[in-house]
Amino acid sequence: MRRTRGPAAALALSLAGTGAMIGLGPVPDAAAVTPPVAFTADPLPTWQPNGVVWALAEAGGKIFAGGTFSTVRPPEGGAGGEQPAVNFVALDAATGAPTSCKLSFTVGSGTATVRAIALSPDKTTLYAGGYFGAVNGTPVSSLAAVDVASCTVKTAFRPAFAATVRALAVTGDTVYAGGDFLSVAGQPRERFAAVDATDGALKPFTANADEPGRAVEVTPDGNSVILGGDFFTVNGTHTHALAVVNATSGALTRSYPGFIETNSVVKDIATDATGFYTANEGTGGGVFDGRIALDLDDFGQRWRDTCLGATQAVLPYQSVLYSASHAHDCSSVGEFPDGQRHHLLAQPTSGTGKLGWTPDTNDGIGEGIGPRVMTVGSKGGVQYLWVGGEFTTVNGGAQQSLTRFASTGDTGAPTVPVASAVSFRPGEVQVRWRTSLDLDDSTLTYRIYRGGAATPLATVSADSLFFKRPQASWTDTTVTAGQTYTYRVTATDAAGNTSALSATASVTVPTKVDAYPNQVRADGAQQYWRYDESALPFVADSSAGGNQSGVHLNAPALRQSPGAVSGASTAIGFNGTDTQVYGDTRQTVGSAYSIETWFRTDTTRGGKLFGFGSNQARGSNQYDKHLYMTNDGRLVYGVYTGATRTLTTSGAYNDNQWHHVVATQGPGGMTLYVDGAQKGTLNVTTHENFSGYWHAGGDSLGGWPDRPTSEYWAGRLDESAVYPTVLSAAQVQNHYALATAPADSVVQVTAAEDTYANAGAPGTNYGTSGSLAVRGTSFYASYLRFDLPAAPAGTVLKSAVLGVKTSTMSGAGTTDTVSVVPVTGPWSEGGTTYDNRPALGGPALGAFAGIPDGSAVHTTGLTTATVAAALGGSYSLALSSTGTDALWLWSSEAQANEGTPQLTLTFGAP
């Protein structure tokens, strides 16, 4: 079918890699979409036929749609009533509403249909092909010419096609047709023919094919015609589904034997200034369903996109190839695996990589194909991409057979980011999130907000596609040990559409390095799932690279406690039926790698703990580099080298206790460790090479020895990591030792009593006041008493941090240094005044080097040994300064206890 083509001006293609691009620059200027995409993914209101649209063309701001239907109706919720439209409707390109041009295509017997529409080069004549015998009562024979200005049939144009016409292409003097016919005007013309554009007289052009023709396209120089269809021969020469012939004679000039699979056909062909593109559909196994780009200079292949899911139409426009299909598996070109259908895609005309334009339809009625045809129309300086077919929804909303997308007016906001925050060491918080999805913007701007502030703390730019949503992250280095922080993230597209704020991510900064995760990162983990998330579906990657996040499938149980590693980390629980975690980004695995995870189970049905597979949300076709458990609790580590090669433990580990397992492979072969001890080696240095995804909790196991009853894991996992190197035995043993060492414990102690003394009111007691005050001149001092616990058995005090909160009054902060000193004399909250205040001791235990205005928590570390000596009893501190700038704090009597002074004590192994 001849399409309306846009300018062939090249646009630069910018596709980022899988990692997040981090920048703190300004938000990019507003634009409709991410270049080189030219259209938004927001469908516009459009009148809709009650059947299938097979053909589209544009002229003078009008869209002509042909198909198999009888009426058109307003868009969902639109004004107006149903109107007759017998297999044809003319619509305003800018409004989507019917115009005054009314044509009815009918036939005496059978079902009339319009299968192809094309315009003359000057767009004054519309040619329609299909199966019909009359247009508005005027007799025709499956091909008609219509005057565009008057919307009337040109009676002088009277070709006689004996069967359905499925494709048309038009030059200044010739109409080329393809279809099911075997003769035209009584003369043999098998599936392809050419007639005079004025009167329909048959031309000498002869390109006889043995099976139906479905696509016809004339090269820009007018010298050649490209044919597509079901055929295996043209003019007796073998060339399946695709051929190039002379535009005058029809003689074959380029054949394609063996070029396209025998069970695949060409459904559409489109050209631009540099080449032509085919849409291909296959039936059965081993088909070719994708797209091919061929150059015009030699008609040779430029690239081949082998996605599976029959392609019905292709449309090059401004260096982008838009396609209509139901693509469900693009793993062969390194993109999304077999699964959900995607009906509208875009890619550069220079290659197969998909761009960030993914509006979607459903399969719809009829054959369940979805969209079948596309064209571009223009009106009022706006371009509109029109899509027709047999769908009944667009982007999830009801809309049948026709939809359109504009070059301006992007209104769709990105999805809300799913954020989390983690801190492994003092002074550093990593905020990370699953990159959002926007149907017409692959590059998004993320803003990170801390503590409910209205101004973002940072701005990050990152790329994502629906099948590649890597984790993005930003590190906050302005945090204080022992303090808790909250973060939220938004996503904004190029047009300024902004998502809602993410749910709050909360984190407490540790007072010392968290030993186990810090060592995993230091040893080079490139993917590290700790399973500490509190919300679905994002599984954060805690590795130093931080972009190999995962996705929860079927809601595994989150935050299972206790976890495997001593401390606050939690685990994830799998049901052994359908829950798992899979990687969000496709990757490959090198010749050296290590897999590490902790597990706990009492299952007697076995299952896969962790492994590499070719698919995501459904069972993989390729799968190896995995750890699984047999029904009797033994662990198996296996790779595939053309045969399954495995290491199996002699002992069982389904005792409902936490165990540590590491599997490595490299130049020295395979090694399996459990609980820090080597359990076996195998001199196998290779594995199956394919692109895929890491899975936790389940994936395929067909054909593997001692295959368990269930391929899904019933139990808990924790601290799953993948390394691009072979971990040494010493590293494995160190990880096991770090995880099983006694954990630090944190105790928070609030002030049992607090008050302050005021030299300006020497006899006044402030014990019931909601505030505390500190100043050197005139004198204020605040007194705090804490009832300290004894150190837990086997531990010592590792750190002590005092936290206070400034009040909301203006000028509550201070520019002076505030010291924390011991109190040497007796005092009580209800009895202390300036006149009987206790004496202050020394040396200072800690200090605040000035505190800014604004109500916020501030912390300072205290001398650990001094506080440790007071454990198990009552201990008093005072806050004092020598300056004249007063500090005002909340006391324990403040409303809702929002500012109660607090000691954070951390205990750990000596």
Side-chain angles (χ1 to χ4, degrees):
M1 302 173 189
R2 185 74 171 177
R3 308 279 186 262
T4 301
R5 307 298 182 203
L11 294 178
L13 172 64
S14 176
L15 287 177
T18 59
M21 298 189 301
I22 298 178
L24 302 181
V27 178
D29 293 337
V33 290
T34 300
V37 170
F39 302 98
T40 80
D42 305 316
L44 297 174
T46 306
W47 280 59
Q48 43 194 330
N50 64 346
V52 179
V53 171
W54 295 96
L56 291 170
E58 182 270 346
K62 295 184 179 66
I63 299 295
F64 305 105
T68 311
F69 50 86
S70 59
T71 64
V72 292
R73 65 186 186 279
E76 301 299 316
E82 190 173 73
Q83 298 181 12
V86 183
N87 302 314
F88 178 90
V89 64
L91 302 162
D92 186 284
T95 67
T99 70
S100 59
C101 179
K102 311 292 184 183
L103 298 173
S104 295
F105 288 74
T106 57
V107 70
S109 62
T111 301
T113 185
V114 175
R115 292 301 180 103
I117 298 175
L119 275 297
S120 60
D122 61 7
K123 294 196 174 184
T124 61
T125 303
L126 178 149
Y127 297 90
Y131 178 70
F132 46 83
V135 180
N136 283 1
T138 299
V140 293
S141 184
S142 293
L143 180 60
V146 176
D147 179 74
V148 171
S150 63
C151 190
T152 58
V153 177
K154 290 189 172 185
T155 56
F157 182 81
R158 295 293 299 274
F161 281 81
T164 303
V165 173
R166 297 183 180 275
L168 294 172
V170 185
T171 66
D173 60 2
T174 304
V175 178
Y176 296 92
D180 300 349
F181 50 85
L182 299 177
S183 65
V184 179
Q187 301 297 312
R189 292 292 190 275
E190 299 175 10
R191 280 87 183 198
F192 295 99
V195 299
D196 186 272
T198 301
D199 61 10
L202 186 64
K203 291 200 167 190
F205 176 92
T206 302
N208 290 333
D210 61 334
E211 295 290 344
R214 298 185 182 274
V216 182
E217 191 77 0
V218 182
T219 57
D221 61 11
N223 294 328
S224 300
V225 177
I226 308 163
L227 311 178
D230 302 3
F231 51 82
F232 291 87
T233 63
V234 173
N235 291 338
T237 299
H238 179 58
T239 179
H240 174 53
L242 184 66
V244 181
V245 299
N246 180 272
T248 302
S249 67
L252 189 66
T253 59
R254 176 66 188 261
S255 62
Y256 295 89
F259 185 67
I260 294 174
E261 281 74 358
T262 57
N263 55 352
S264 297
V265 302
V266 170
K267 298 296 291 289
D268 188 29
I269 299 172
T271 61
D272 62 13
T274 64
F276 67 96
Y277 310 87
T278 69
N280 303 272
E281 176 186 80
T283 303
V287 301
F288 174 55
D289 266 348
R291 294 153 289 282
I292 305 174
L294 301 99
D295 293 320
L296 286 173
D297 54 358
D298 62 357
F299 301 120
Q301 179 174 294
R302 180 189 307 164
W303 51 256
R304 179 179 291 228
D305 185 336
T306 53
C307 290
L308 293 175
T311 306
Q312 302 299 310
V314 285
L315 174 64
Y317 182 79
Q318 295 185 352
S319 299
V320 173
L321 184 68
Y322 298 89
S323 60
S325 69
H326 56 261
H328 59 86
D329 185 355
C330 288
S331 57
S332 61
V333 291
E335 296 174 335
F336 55 94
D338 193 17
Q340 181 180 349
R341 292 185 172 197
H342 301 275
H343 297 85
L344 294 169
L345 297 173
Q347 60 199 93
T349 54
S350 58
T352 63
K354 305 304 180 293
L355 300 172
W357 184 81
T358 53
D360 203 15
T361 71
N362 64 354
D363 290 342
I365 60 177
E367 297 177 39
I369 293 294
R372 288 186 174 272
V373 62
M374 298 180 293
T375 196
V376 174
S378 178
K379 189 171 184 180
V382 178
Q383 286 70 49
Y384 299 90
L385 174 62
W386 282 71
V387 178
E390 57 192 83
F391 49 85
T392 58
T393 67
V394 179
N395 288 356
Q399 177 68 24
Q400 184 171 348
S401 301
L402 276 175
T403 191
R404 60 200 175 98
F405 307 94
S407 59
T408 60
D410 181 11
T411 60
T415 58
V416 179
V418 180
S420 69
V422 68
S423 182
F424 298 118
R425 58 177 61 90
E428 183 177 294
V429 168
Q430 183 191 55
V431 185
R432 60 271 180 96
W433 59 93
R434 187 187 191 202
T435 46
S436 297
L437 176 62
D438 189 282
L439 298 183
D440 47 31
D441 289 276
S442 56
T443 300
L444 299 174
T445 299
Y446 299 89
R447 292 179 177 85
I448 301 97
Y449 299 84
R450 188 175 78 182
T455 302
L457 198 63
T459 300
V460 172
S461 177
D463 285 1
S464 58
L465 298 168
F466 72 87
F467 59 88
K468 186 169 62 177
R469 295 176 62 182
Q471 176 175 295
S473 64
W474 173 79
T475 300
D476 186 357
T477 57
T478 64
V479 295
T480 302
Q483 189 164 326
T484 299
Y485 296 87
T486 59
Y487 299 87
R488 302 181 79 180
V489 182
T490 63
T492 302
D493 68 13
N497 301 303
T498 300
S499 73
L501 284 162
S502 70
T504 299
S506 179
V507 62
T508 299
V509 182
T511 56
K512 70 179 186 65
V513 172
D514 195 348
Y516 183 87
N518 188 67
Q519 194 62 52
V520 170
R521 288 159 58 94
D523 285 342
Q526 67 179 11
Q527 177 178 300
Y528 183 19
W529 295 344
R530 302 203 73 200
Y531 309 117
D532 290 337
E533 293 77 30
S534 57
L536 302 169
F538 172 57
V539 181
D541 177 12
S542 293
S543 71
N547 64 7
Q548 297 295 339
S549 53
V551 178
H552 298 112
L553 179 65
N554 295 325
L558 305 184
R559 300 194 63 79
Q560 300 296 289
S561 186
V565 176
S566 300
S569 179
T570 59
I572 189 170
F574 298 99
N575 63 11
T577 303
D578 62 358
T579 56
Q580 63 162 297
V581 169
Y582 61 81
D584 217 359
T585 304
R586 191 178 183 88
Q587 57 182 289
T588 57
V589 180
S591 58
Y593 65 90
S594 299
I595 304 167
E596 176 179 38
T597 194
W598 288 78
F599 66 93
R600 178 176 180 171
T601 187
D602 59 2
T603 183
T604 57
R605 300 178 68 248
K608 182 178 289 191
L609 284 71
F610 202 86
F612 195 70
S614 60
N615 220 322
Q616 286 183 307
R618 59 196 305 177
S620 296
N621 296 320
Q622 294 173 283
Y623 39 95
D624 78 337
K625 299 175 282 294
H626 50 208
L627 291 160
Y628 62 93
M629 180 173 278
T630 62
N631 289 346
D632 58 5
R634 291 173 297 135
L635 287 177
V636 181
Y637 164 41
V639 300
Y640 186 73
T641 62
T644 58
R645 307 300 302 274
T646 59
L647 285 167
T648 305
T649 64
S650 57
Y653 296 94
N654 55 345
D655 56 2
N656 208 28
Q657 300 297 314
W658 280 111
H659 295 283
H660 178 236
V661 59
V662 176
T664 70
Q665 186 180 30
M670 299 166 60
T671 305
L672 177 64
Y673 302 87
V674 181
D675 294 338
Q678 186 185 108
K679 296 298 181 180
T681 62
L682 193 62
N683 187 26
V684 174
T685 61
T686 61
H687 54 78
E688 188 174 10
N689 292 313
F690 60 92
S691 295
Y693 311 85
W694 289 105
H695 293 249
D699 196 16
S700 303
L701 278 172
W704 283 79
D706 293 318
R707 182 184 179 185
T709 300
S710 174
E711 295 182 338
Y712 287 89
W713 169 252
R716 295 180 181 181
L717 293 181
D718 202 2
E719 306 290 335
S720 299
V722 179
Y723 304 78
T725 58
V726 173
L727 290 179
S728 67
Q731 287 174 309
V732 172
Q733 291 160 7
N734 185 37
H735 289 195
Y736 179 66
L738 287 173
T740 54
D744 288 355
S745 59
V746 176
V747 178
Q748 292 180 325
V749 184
T750 57
E753 292 188 281
D754 55 11
T755 188
Y756 75 97
N758 178 3
T764 303
N765 171 261
Y766 293 94
T768 58
S769 170
S771 298
L772 301 172
V774 181
R775 185 169 62 193
T777 306
S778 59
F779 180 86
Y780 296 152
S782 292
Y783 306 95
L784 315 172
R785 188 192 315 278
F786 296 93
D787 293 331
L788 301 182
T795 69
V796 297
L797 183 68
K798 307 293 284 292
S799 68
V801 176
L802 174 64
V804 295
K805 186 174 184 181
T806 45
S807 74
T808 54
M809 68 180 292
S810 177
T814 181
T815 58
D816 299 330
T817 297
V818 175
S819 298
V820 183
V821 297
V823 175
T824 60
W827 68 280
S828 68
E829 181 179 84
T832 298
T833 67
Y834 176 80
D835 288 338
N836 66 5
R837 68 191 185 279
L840 305 182
L845 305 177
F848 297 93
I851 291 177
D853 287 346
S855 183
V857 173
H858 299 275
T859 60
T860 183
L862 304 183
T863 304
T864 305
T866 303
V867 178
L871 292 174
S874 179
Y875 189 60
S876 293
L877 304 171
L879 304 178
S880 67
S881 77
T882 59
T884 58
D885 187 10
L887 170 68
W888 289 92
L889 306 170
W890 293 118
S891 77
S892 57
E893 280 73 27
Q895 187 175 14
N897 290 329
E898 70 168 296
T900 301
Q902 181 173 268
L903 274 180
T904 300
L905 307 177
T906 301
F907 298 94

